[in-house]
Amino acid sequence: MACDAIAETPEQAANLRARAELMMQISELIKANGWTQAEAATRCGVSPPRMNALLLGRVSRFSLDAFVNIATAIG
């Protein structure tokens, strides 16, 4: 998997895979609900620029904890 190629350890690869999966699920939920970026940011408890980074797939800008917090905020 691509995560394995860019991570230095199996633990880092697992963390990256988990973050990428959460990012995809959050993005899909936002799109399925038809939320604008501003609305999604408010619902997720993040700033609009942070939401933009999430929707652009910039996984490296988020920790696993950040994704768990966002996912919890939107159910």
Side-chain angles (χ1 to χ4, degrees):
M1 176 171 263
C3 293
D4 297 334
I6 59 175
E8 293 181 16
T9 67
E11 293 81 9
Q12 288 175 341
N15 183 284
L16 184 54
R17 278 192 298 275
R19 289 186 291 145
E21 180 62 32
L22 278 170
M23 177 178 271
M24 288 187 298
Q25 289 180 6
I26 292 166
S27 294
E28 289 173 10
L29 183 61
I30 290 167
K31 290 174 188 166
N33 283 298
W35 297 336
T36 65
Q37 281 191 27
E39 185 177 7
T42 299
R43 290 176 181 267
C44 294
V46 299
S47 68
R50 193 112 166 100
M51 179 54 60
N52 187 303
L54 187 153
L55 295 174
L56 290 174
R58 296 188 174 141
V59 72
S60 65
R61 294 191 180 182
F62 295 86
S63 67
L64 188 54
D65 284 347
F67 283 127
V68 169
N69 292 341
I70 292 168
T72 300
I74 59 174

